[in-house]
PDB file of all heavy atoms in Angstrom:
ATOM      1  N   GLY A   1     -80.168-114.895   6.817  1.00  0.00           N
ATOM      2  CA  GLY A   1     -80.571-116.291   6.952  1.00  0.00           C
ATOM      3  C   GLY A   1     -81.600-116.459   8.048  1.00  0.00           C
ATOM      4  O   GLY A   1     -81.777-115.591   8.914  1.00  0.00           O
ATOM      5  N   GLY A   2     -82.332-117.571   8.009  1.00  0.00           N
ATOM      6  CA  GLY A   2     -83.364-117.814   9.013  1.00  0.00           C
ATOM      7  C   GLY A   2     -84.674-117.140   8.651  1.00  0.00           C
ATOM      8  O   GLY A   2     -84.909-116.739   7.514  1.00  0.00           O
ATOM      9  N   THR A   3     -85.538-116.980   9.660  1.00  0.00           N
ATOM     10  CA  THR A   3     -86.888-116.470   9.437  1.00  0.00           C
ATOM     11  C   THR A   3     -87.189-115.298  10.352  1.00  0.00           C
ATOM     12  O   THR A   3     -86.881-115.334  11.541  1.00  0.00           O
ATOM     13  CB  THR A   3     -87.933-117.579   9.714  1.00  0.00           C
ATOM     14  OG1 THR A   3     -87.708-118.669   8.819  1.00  0.00           O
ATOM     15  CG2 THR A   3     -89.353-117.065   9.520  1.00  0.00           C
ATOM     16  N   VAL A   4     -87.777-114.257   9.779  1.00  0.00           N
ATOM     17  CA  VAL A   4     -88.274-113.120  10.548  1.00  0.00           C
ATOM     18  C   VAL A   4     -89.762-112.985  10.257  1.00  0.00           C
ATOM     19  O   VAL A   4     -90.162-112.919   9.094  1.00  0.00           O
ATOM     20  CB  VAL A   4     -87.553-111.809  10.190  1.00  0.00           C
ATOM     21  CG1 VAL A   4     -88.249-110.614  10.845  1.00  0.00           C
ATOM     22  CG2 VAL A   4     -86.101-111.867  10.630  1.00  0.00           C
ATOM     23  N   GLU A   5     -90.567-112.976  11.309  1.00  0.00           N
ATOM     24  CA  GLU A   5     -92.014-112.825  11.152  1.00  0.00           C
ATOM     25  C   GLU A   5     -92.479-111.666  12.028  1.00  0.00           C
ATOM     26  O   GLU A   5     -92.216-111.636  13.224  1.00  0.00           O
ATOM     27  CB  GLU A   5     -92.742-114.106  11.538  1.00  0.00           C
ATOM     28  CG  GLU A   5     -94.242-114.042  11.328  1.00  0.00           C
ATOM     29  CD  GLU A   5     -94.930-115.382  11.502  1.00  0.00           C
ATOM     30  OE1 GLU A   5     -94.218-116.396  11.740  1.00  0.00           O
ATOM     31  OE2 GLU A   5     -96.167-115.427  11.403  1.00  0.00           O
ATOM     32  N   VAL A   6     -93.157-110.699  11.411  1.00  0.00           N
ATOM     33  CA  VAL A   6     -93.622-109.510  12.124  1.00  0.00           C
ATOM     34  C   VAL A   6     -95.126-109.384  11.940  1.00  0.00           C
ATOM     35  O   VAL A   6     -95.632-109.490  10.819  1.00  0.00           O
ATOM     36  CB  VAL A   6     -92.926-108.229  11.609  1.00  0.00           C
ATOM     37  CG1 VAL A   6     -93.369-107.019  12.434  1.00  0.00           C
ATOM     38  CG2 VAL A   6     -91.412-108.379  11.655  1.00  0.00           C
ATOM     39  N   GLY A   7     -95.837-109.146  13.047  1.00  0.00           N
ATOM     40  CA  GLY A   7     -97.278-108.965  12.997  1.00  0.00           C
ATOM     41  C   GLY A   7     -97.635-107.500  12.815  1.00  0.00           C
ATOM     42  O   GLY A   7     -96.980-106.776  12.069  1.00  0.00           O
ATOM     43  N   GLU A   8     -98.635-107.043  13.539  1.00  0.00           N
ATOM     44  CA  GLU A   8     -99.174-105.691  13.340  1.00  0.00           C
ATOM     45  C   GLU A   8     -98.362-104.628  14.088  1.00  0.00           C
ATOM     46  O   GLU A   8     -98.912-103.724  14.717  1.00  0.00           O
ATOM     47  CB  GLU A   8    -100.634-105.655  13.767  1.00  0.00           C
ATOM     48  CG  GLU A   8    -101.525-106.553  12.911  1.00  0.00           C
ATOM     49  CD  GLU A   8    -102.970-106.511  13.342  1.00  0.00           C
ATOM     50  OE1 GLU A   8    -103.272-105.873  14.370  1.00  0.00           O
ATOM     51  OE2 GLU A   8    -103.799-107.127  12.659  1.00  0.00           O
ATOM     52  N   ALA A   9     -97.070-104.751  14.011  1.00  0.00           N
ATOM     53  CA  ALA A   9     -96.187-103.752  14.618  1.00  0.00           C
ATOM     54  C   ALA A   9     -95.861-102.667  13.603  1.00  0.00           C
ATOM     55  O   ALA A   9     -96.080-102.833  12.398  1.00  0.00           O
ATOM     56  CB  ALA A   9     -94.904-104.416  15.103  1.00  0.00           C
ATOM     57  N   THR A  10     -95.323-101.555  14.090  1.00  0.00           N
ATOM     58  CA  THR A  10     -94.867-100.467  13.231  1.00  0.00           C
ATOM     59  C   THR A  10     -93.349-100.361  13.338  1.00  0.00           C
ATOM     60  O   THR A  10     -92.805-100.254  14.437  1.00  0.00           O
ATOM     61  CB  THR A  10     -95.497 -99.121  13.641  1.00  0.00           C
ATOM     62  OG1 THR A  10     -96.910 -99.191  13.461  1.00  0.00           O
ATOM     63  CG2 THR A  10     -94.951 -97.985  12.797  1.00  0.00           C
ATOM     64  N   LEU A  11     -92.669-100.421  12.203  1.00  0.00           N
ATOM     65  CA  LEU A  11     -91.223-100.210  12.139  1.00  0.00           C
ATOM     66  C   LEU A  11     -91.031 -98.777  11.697  1.00  0.00           C
ATOM     67  O   LEU A  11     -91.374 -98.404  10.572  1.00  0.00           O
ATOM     68  CB  LEU A  11     -90.575-101.174  11.147  1.00  0.00           C
ATOM     69  CG  LEU A  11     -90.910-102.669  11.316  1.00  0.00           C
ATOM     70  CD1 LEU A  11     -90.141-103.502  10.300  1.00  0.00           C
ATOM     71  CD2 LEU A  11     -90.640-103.144  12.728  1.00  0.00           C
ATOM     72  N   GLN A  12     -90.475 -97.958  12.562  1.00  0.00           N
ATOM     73  CA  GLN A  12     -90.473 -96.514  12.318  1.00  0.00           C
ATOM     74  C   GLN A  12     -89.130 -95.897  12.648  1.00  0.00           C
ATOM     75  O   GLN A  12     -88.504 -96.244  13.636  1.00  0.00           O
ATOM     76  CB  GLN A  12     -91.557 -95.847  13.159  1.00  0.00           C
ATOM     77  CG  GLN A  12     -91.675 -94.344  12.967  1.00  0.00           C
ATOM     78  CD  GLN A  12     -92.867 -93.767  13.702  1.00  0.00           C
ATOM     79  OE1 GLN A  12     -93.942 -94.358  13.722  1.00  0.00           O
ATOM     80  NE2 GLN A  12     -92.680 -92.627  14.320  1.00  0.00           N
ATOM     81  N   GLY A  13     -88.705 -94.963  11.814  1.00  0.00           N
ATOM     82  CA  GLY A  13     -87.473 -94.245  12.118  1.00  0.00           C
ATOM     83  C   GLY A  13     -86.852 -93.645  10.888  1.00  0.00           C
ATOM     84  O   GLY A  13     -87.306 -93.838   9.769  1.00  0.00           O
ATOM     85  N   ARG A  14     -85.750 -92.937  11.109  1.00  0.00           N
ATOM     86  CA  ARG A  14     -85.074 -92.311   9.990  1.00  0.00           C
ATOM     87  C   ARG A  14     -83.973 -93.240   9.473  1.00  0.00           C
ATOM     88  O   ARG A  14     -83.130 -92.837   8.676  1.00  0.00           O
ATOM     89  CB  ARG A  14     -84.491 -90.955  10.413  1.00  0.00           C
ATOM     90  CG  ARG A  14     -83.653 -91.008  11.678  1.00  0.00           C
ATOM     91  CD  ARG A  14     -82.186 -91.094  11.398  1.00  0.00           C
ATOM     92  NE  ARG A  14     -81.491 -91.708  12.519  1.00  0.00           N
ATOM     93  CZ  ARG A  14     -81.062 -92.949  12.482  1.00  0.00           C
ATOM     94  NH1 ARG A  14     -81.285 -93.707  11.433  1.00  0.00           N
ATOM     95  NH2 ARG A  14     -80.431 -93.468  13.508  1.00  0.00           N
ATOM     96  N   SER A  15     -83.982 -94.478   9.896  1.00  0.00           N
ATOM     97  CA  SER A  15     -82.934 -95.401   9.464  1.00  0.00           C
ATOM     98  C   SER A  15     -83.060 -95.686   7.967  1.00  0.00           C
ATOM     99  O   SER A  15     -84.084 -95.413   7.349  1.00  0.00           O
ATOM    100  CB  SER A  15     -83.031 -96.706  10.250  1.00  0.00           C
ATOM    101  OG  SER A  15     -84.200 -97.394   9.907  1.00  0.00           O
ATOM    102  N   TYR A  16     -82.017 -96.230   7.408  1.00  0.00           N
ATOM    103  CA  TYR A  16     -81.961 -96.439   5.966  1.00  0.00           C
ATOM    104  C   TYR A  16     -83.079 -97.359   5.490  1.00  0.00           C
ATOM    105  O   TYR A  16     -83.928 -96.981   4.686  1.00  0.00           O
ATOM    106  CB  TYR A  16     -80.594 -97.007   5.608  1.00  0.00           C
ATOM    107  CG  TYR A  16     -80.204 -96.779   4.180  1.00  0.00           C
ATOM    108  CD1 TYR A  16     -80.196 -95.494   3.647  1.00  0.00           C
ATOM    109  CD2 TYR A  16     -79.828 -97.824   3.366  1.00  0.00           C
ATOM    110  CE1 TYR A  16     -79.821 -95.274   2.336  1.00  0.00           C
ATOM    111  CE2 TYR A  16     -79.450 -97.615   2.048  1.00  0.00           C
ATOM    112  CZ  TYR A  16     -79.453 -96.337   1.534  1.00  0.00           C
ATOM    113  OH  TYR A  16     -79.097 -96.115   0.245  1.00  0.00           O
ATOM    114  N   TYR A  17     -83.130 -98.577   6.000  1.00  0.00           N
ATOM    115  CA  TYR A  17     -84.167 -99.536   5.611  1.00  0.00           C
ATOM    116  C   TYR A  17     -84.918-100.052   6.838  1.00  0.00           C
ATOM    117  O   TYR A  17     -84.334-100.201   7.908  1.00  0.00           O
ATOM    118  CB  TYR A  17     -83.557-100.729   4.871  1.00  0.00           C
ATOM    119  CG  TYR A  17     -83.202-100.432   3.434  1.00  0.00           C
ATOM    120  CD1 TYR A  17     -81.894-100.129   3.083  1.00  0.00           C
ATOM    121  CD2 TYR A  17     -84.179-100.427   2.440  1.00  0.00           C
ATOM    122  CE1 TYR A  17     -81.564 -99.841   1.768  1.00  0.00           C
ATOM    123  CE2 TYR A  17     -83.856-100.139   1.133  1.00  0.00           C
ATOM    124  CZ  TYR A  17     -82.542 -99.844   0.795  1.00  0.00           C
ATOM    125  OH  TYR A  17     -82.217 -99.554  -0.500  1.00  0.00           O
ATOM    126  N   GLY A  18     -86.188-100.362   6.651  1.00  0.00           N
ATOM    127  CA  GLY A  18     -86.948-101.019   7.705  1.00  0.00           C
ATOM    128  C   GLY A  18     -86.446-102.439   7.906  1.00  0.00           C
ATOM    129  O   GLY A  18     -86.156-102.866   9.021  1.00  0.00           O
ATOM    130  N   ILE A  19     -86.334-103.197   6.796  1.00  0.00           N
ATOM    131  CA  ILE A  19     -85.837-104.574   6.831  1.00  0.00           C
ATOM    132  C   ILE A  19     -84.863-104.772   5.682  1.00  0.00           C
ATOM    133  O   ILE A  19     -85.182-104.461   4.533  1.00  0.00           O
ATOM    134  CB  ILE A  19     -86.983-105.599   6.720  1.00  0.00           C
ATOM    135  CG1 ILE A  19     -87.963-105.434   7.890  1.00  0.00           C
ATOM    136  CG2 ILE A  19     -86.433-107.022   6.667  1.00  0.00           C
ATOM    137  CD1 ILE A  19     -89.170-106.358   7.797  1.00  0.00           C
ATOM    138  N   SER A  20     -83.674-105.284   5.982  1.00  0.00           N
ATOM    139  CA  SER A  20     -82.668-105.563   4.957  1.00  0.00           C
ATOM    140  C   SER A  20     -82.273-107.024   4.998  1.00  0.00           C
ATOM    141  O   SER A  20     -82.032-107.578   6.077  1.00  0.00           O
ATOM    142  CB  SER A  20     -81.423-104.696   5.163  1.00  0.00           C
ATOM    143  OG  SER A  20     -81.715-103.334   4.976  1.00  0.00           O
ATOM    144  N   VAL A  21     -82.178-107.635   3.818  1.00  0.00           N
ATOM    145  CA  VAL A  21     -81.701-109.016   3.696  1.00  0.00           C
ATOM    146  C   VAL A  21     -80.414-108.976   2.890  1.00  0.00           C
ATOM    147  O   VAL A  21     -80.405-108.543   1.733  1.00  0.00           O
ATOM    148  CB  VAL A  21     -82.748-109.922   3.020  1.00  0.00           C
ATOM    149  CG1 VAL A  21     -82.199-111.335   2.862  1.00  0.00           C
ATOM    150  CG2 VAL A  21     -84.041-109.942   3.834  1.00  0.00           C
ATOM    151  N   TYR A  22     -79.330-109.419   3.510  1.00  0.00           N
ATOM    152  CA  TYR A  22     -78.021-109.315   2.880  1.00  0.00           C
ATOM    153  C   TYR A  22     -77.633-110.619   2.169  1.00  0.00           C
ATOM    154  O   TYR A  22     -78.459-111.222   1.517  1.00  0.00           O
ATOM    155  CB  TYR A  22     -77.000-108.884   3.928  1.00  0.00           C
ATOM    156  CG  TYR A  22     -77.240-107.460   4.383  1.00  0.00           C
ATOM    157  CD1 TYR A  22     -77.866-107.181   5.609  1.00  0.00           C
ATOM    158  CD2 TYR A  22     -76.892-106.389   3.572  1.00  0.00           C
ATOM    159  CE1 TYR A  22     -78.102-105.867   6.008  1.00  0.00           C
ATOM    160  CE2 TYR A  22     -77.125-105.077   3.958  1.00  0.00           C
ATOM    161  CZ  TYR A  22     -77.726-104.822   5.173  1.00  0.00           C
ATOM    162  OH  TYR A  22     -77.977-103.530   5.562  1.00  0.00           O
ATOM    163  N   THR A  23     -76.391-111.048   2.274  1.00  0.00           N
ATOM    164  CA  THR A  23     -75.917-112.192   1.487  1.00  0.00           C
ATOM    165  C   THR A  23     -75.397-113.300   2.396  1.00  0.00           C
ATOM    166  O   THR A  23     -74.188-113.544   2.471  1.00  0.00           O
ATOM    167  CB  THR A  23     -74.807-111.752   0.513  1.00  0.00           C
ATOM    168  OG1 THR A  23     -73.791-111.055   1.262  1.00  0.00           O
ATOM    169  CG2 THR A  23     -75.358-110.829  -0.546  1.00  0.00           C
ATOM    170  N   PRO A  24     -76.271-113.997   3.103  1.00  0.00           N
ATOM    171  CA  PRO A  24     -75.841-115.060   4.016  1.00  0.00           C
ATOM    172  C   PRO A  24     -75.578-116.364   3.269  1.00  0.00           C
ATOM    173  O   PRO A  24     -75.740-116.455   2.051  1.00  0.00           O
ATOM    174  CB  PRO A  24     -77.055-115.207   4.941  1.00  0.00           C
ATOM    175  CG  PRO A  24     -78.211-114.896   4.037  1.00  0.00           C
ATOM    176  CD  PRO A  24     -77.727-113.822   3.096  1.00  0.00           C
ATOM    177  N   ASP A  25     -75.176-117.386   4.022  1.00  0.00           N
ATOM    178  CA  ASP A  25     -74.947-118.704   3.442  1.00  0.00           C
ATOM    179  C   ASP A  25     -76.255-119.453   3.204  1.00  0.00           C
ATOM    180  O   ASP A  25     -76.286-120.408   2.430  1.00  0.00           O
ATOM    181  CB  ASP A  25     -74.057-119.542   4.364  1.00  0.00           C
ATOM    182  CG  ASP A  25     -72.649-118.981   4.471  1.00  0.00           C
ATOM    183  OD1 ASP A  25     -72.195-118.343   3.495  1.00  0.00           O
ATOM    184  OD2 ASP A  25     -72.024-119.157   5.526  1.00  0.00           O
ATOM    185  N   ASP A  26     -77.321-119.044   3.879  1.00  0.00           N
ATOM    186  CA  ASP A  26     -78.603-119.730   3.760  1.00  0.00           C
ATOM    187  C   ASP A  26     -79.696-118.742   3.377  1.00  0.00           C
ATOM    188  O   ASP A  26     -79.580-117.538   3.595  1.00  0.00           O
ATOM    189  CB  ASP A  26     -78.971-120.410   5.086  1.00  0.00           C
ATOM    190  CG  ASP A  26     -77.959-121.476   5.470  1.00  0.00           C
ATOM    191  OD1 ASP A  26     -77.975-122.550   4.852  1.00  0.00           O
ATOM    192  OD2 ASP A  26     -77.142-121.216   6.375  1.00  0.00           O
ATOM    193  N   ALA A  27     -80.791-119.274   2.840  1.00  0.00           N
ATOM    194  CA  ALA A  27     -81.905-118.443   2.420  1.00  0.00           C
ATOM    195  C   ALA A  27     -82.591-117.796   3.626  1.00  0.00           C
ATOM    196  O   ALA A  27     -82.542-118.302   4.738  1.00  0.00           O
ATOM    197  CB  ALA A  27     -82.919-119.283   1.640  1.00  0.00           C
ATOM    198  N   SER A  28     -83.235-116.675   3.365  1.00  0.00           N
ATOM    199  CA  SER A  28     -83.977-115.957   4.401  1.00  0.00           C
ATOM    200  C   SER A  28     -85.467-115.983   4.070  1.00  0.00           C
ATOM    201  O   SER A  28     -85.859-115.941   2.904  1.00  0.00           O
ATOM    202  CB  SER A  28     -83.513-114.502   4.492  1.00  0.00           C
ATOM    203  OG  SER A  28     -82.142-114.423   4.814  1.00  0.00           O
ATOM    204  N   THR A  29     -86.275-116.022   5.129  1.00  0.00           N
ATOM    205  CA  THR A  29     -87.723-115.930   4.976  1.00  0.00           C
ATOM    206  C   THR A  29     -88.213-114.739   5.784  1.00  0.00           C
ATOM    207  O   THR A  29     -87.902-114.617   6.967  1.00  0.00           O
ATOM    208  CB  THR A  29     -88.421-117.212   5.477  1.00  0.00           C
ATOM    209  OG1 THR A  29     -87.991-118.316   4.676  1.00  0.00           O
ATOM    210  CG2 THR A  29     -89.939-117.086   5.372  1.00  0.00           C
ATOM    211  N   VAL A  30     -88.964-113.855   5.134  1.00  0.00           N
ATOM    212  CA  VAL A  30     -89.533-112.684   5.795  1.00  0.00           C
ATOM    213  C   VAL A  30     -91.037-112.716   5.620  1.00  0.00           C
ATOM    214  O   VAL A  30     -91.538-112.752   4.490  1.00  0.00           O
ATOM    215  CB  VAL A  30     -88.959-111.372   5.227  1.00  0.00           C
ATOM    216  CG1 VAL A  30     -89.642-110.166   5.876  1.00  0.00           C
ATOM    217  CG2 VAL A  30     -87.449-111.307   5.440  1.00  0.00           C
ATOM    218  N   ILE A  31     -91.766-112.734   6.738  1.00  0.00           N
ATOM    219  CA  ILE A  31     -93.228-112.780   6.713  1.00  0.00           C
ATOM    220  C   ILE A  31     -93.759-111.564   7.454  1.00  0.00           C
ATOM    221  O   ILE A  31     -93.463-111.368   8.639  1.00  0.00           O
ATOM    222  CB  ILE A  31     -93.751-114.068   7.374  1.00  0.00           C
ATOM    223  CG1 ILE A  31     -93.163-115.304   6.681  1.00  0.00           C
ATOM    224  CG2 ILE A  31     -95.280-114.112   7.335  1.00  0.00           C
ATOM    225  CD1 ILE A  31     -93.409-116.596   7.430  1.00  0.00           C
ATOM    226  N   LEU A  32     -94.535-110.751   6.766  1.00  0.00           N
ATOM    227  CA  LEU A  32     -95.118-109.550   7.368  1.00  0.00           C
ATOM    228  C   LEU A  32     -96.641-109.646   7.262  1.00  0.00           C
ATOM    229  O   LEU A  32     -97.179-109.779   6.162  1.00  0.00           O
ATOM    230  CB  LEU A  32     -94.625-108.283   6.660  1.00  0.00           C
ATOM    231  CG  LEU A  32     -93.107-108.094   6.546  1.00  0.00           C
ATOM    232  CD1 LEU A  32     -92.789-106.802   5.810  1.00  0.00           C
ATOM    233  CD2 LEU A  32     -92.443-108.116   7.917  1.00  0.00           C
ATOM    234  N   ASN A  33     -97.309-109.566   8.410  1.00  0.00           N
ATOM    235  CA  ASN A  33     -98.769-109.667   8.450  1.00  0.00           C
ATOM    236  C   ASN A  33     -99.349-108.416   9.100  1.00  0.00           C
ATOM    237  O   ASN A  33     -99.293-108.264  10.321  1.00  0.00           O
ATOM    238  CB  ASN A  33     -99.205-110.912   9.229  1.00  0.00           C
ATOM    239  CG  ASN A  33     -98.871-112.195   8.502  1.00  0.00           C
ATOM    240  OD1 ASN A  33     -99.199-112.360   7.334  1.00  0.00           O
ATOM    241  ND2 ASN A  33     -98.204-113.121   9.180  1.00  0.00           N
ATOM    242  N   GLY A  34     -99.874-107.501   8.284  1.00  0.00           N
ATOM    243  CA  GLY A  34    -100.449-106.276   8.826  1.00  0.00           C
ATOM    244  C   GLY A  34     -99.418-105.308   9.357  1.00  0.00           C
ATOM    245  O   GLY A  34     -99.738-104.391  10.118  1.00  0.00           O
ATOM    246  N   THR A  35     -98.175-105.461   8.963  1.00  0.00           N
ATOM    247  CA  THR A  35     -97.074-104.623   9.449  1.00  0.00           C
ATOM    248  C   THR A  35     -97.090-103.253   8.763  1.00  0.00           C
ATOM    249  O   THR A  35     -97.482-103.136   7.602  1.00  0.00           O
ATOM    250  CB  THR A  35     -95.731-105.312   9.162  1.00  0.00           C
ATOM    251  OG1 THR A  35     -95.784-106.662   9.635  1.00  0.00           O
ATOM    252  CG2 THR A  35     -94.579-104.590   9.828  1.00  0.00           C
ATOM    253  N   THR A  36     -96.649-102.225   9.495  1.00  0.00           N
ATOM    254  CA  THR A  36     -96.481-100.887   8.923  1.00  0.00           C
ATOM    255  C   THR A  36     -95.008-100.500   8.995  1.00  0.00           C
ATOM    256  O   THR A  36     -94.372-100.668  10.034  1.00  0.00           O
ATOM    257  CB  THR A  36     -97.311 -99.846   9.695  1.00  0.00           C
ATOM    258  OG1 THR A  36     -98.706-100.168   9.565  1.00  0.00           O
ATOM    259  CG2 THR A  36     -97.074 -98.444   9.154  1.00  0.00           C
ATOM    260  N   ILE A  37     -94.464-100.007   7.880  1.00  0.00           N
ATOM    261  CA  ILE A  37     -93.085 -99.529   7.846  1.00  0.00           C
ATOM    262  C   ILE A  37     -93.092 -98.062   7.447  1.00  0.00           C
ATOM    263  O   ILE A  37     -93.602 -97.694   6.384  1.00  0.00           O
ATOM    264  CB  ILE A  37     -92.219-100.337   6.866  1.00  0.00           C
ATOM    265  CG1 ILE A  37     -92.166-101.811   7.291  1.00  0.00           C
ATOM    266  CG2 ILE A  37     -90.806 -99.755   6.788  1.00  0.00           C
ATOM    267  CD1 ILE A  37     -91.377-102.695   6.345  1.00  0.00           C
ATOM    268  N   LYS A  38     -92.521 -97.223   8.326  1.00  0.00           N
ATOM    269  CA  LYS A  38     -92.360 -95.795   8.046  1.00  0.00           C
ATOM    270  C   LYS A  38     -90.899 -95.462   8.267  1.00  0.00           C
ATOM    271  O   LYS A  38     -90.455 -95.247   9.386  1.00  0.00           O
ATOM    272  CB  LYS A  38     -93.249 -94.963   8.956  1.00  0.00           C
ATOM    273  CG  LYS A  38     -94.742 -95.188   8.750  1.00  0.00           C
ATOM    274  CD  LYS A  38     -95.572 -94.322   9.683  1.00  0.00           C
ATOM    275  CE  LYS A  38     -97.060 -94.517   9.458  1.00  0.00           C
ATOM    276  NZ  LYS A  38     -97.864 -93.659  10.368  1.00  0.00           N
ATOM    277  N   SER A  39     -90.145 -95.441   7.179  1.00  0.00           N
ATOM    278  CA  SER A  39     -88.702 -95.234   7.278  1.00  0.00           C
ATOM    279  C   SER A  39     -88.237 -94.548   6.001  1.00  0.00           C
ATOM    280  O   SER A  39     -89.053 -94.213   5.140  1.00  0.00           O
ATOM    281  CB  SER A  39     -88.010 -96.582   7.474  1.00  0.00           C
ATOM    282  OG  SER A  39     -86.643 -96.427   7.763  1.00  0.00           O
TER     283      SER A  39
END
């Protein structure tokens, strides 16, 4: 739920997912602008 906004950052690691949205009571907003994900 809520909003996550990421700019030109790098999300990096051996973790399962870079970004996960599960099953909350409210909708989620994810905004990525120039973001890099290496996972």
Side-chain angles (χ1 to χ4, degrees):
T3 299
V4 171
E5 183 171 357
V6 184
E8 296 180 354
T10 297
L11 309 183
Q12 181 173 319
R14 51 98 205 104
S15 68
Y16 202 55
Y17 283 99
I19 299 176
S20 295
V21 178
Y22 292 102
T23 53
D25 294 331
D26 298 286
S28 300
T29 297
V30 176
I31 303 169
L32 306 180
N33 291 309
T35 310
T36 297
I37 299 178
K38 296 180 179 180
S39 188

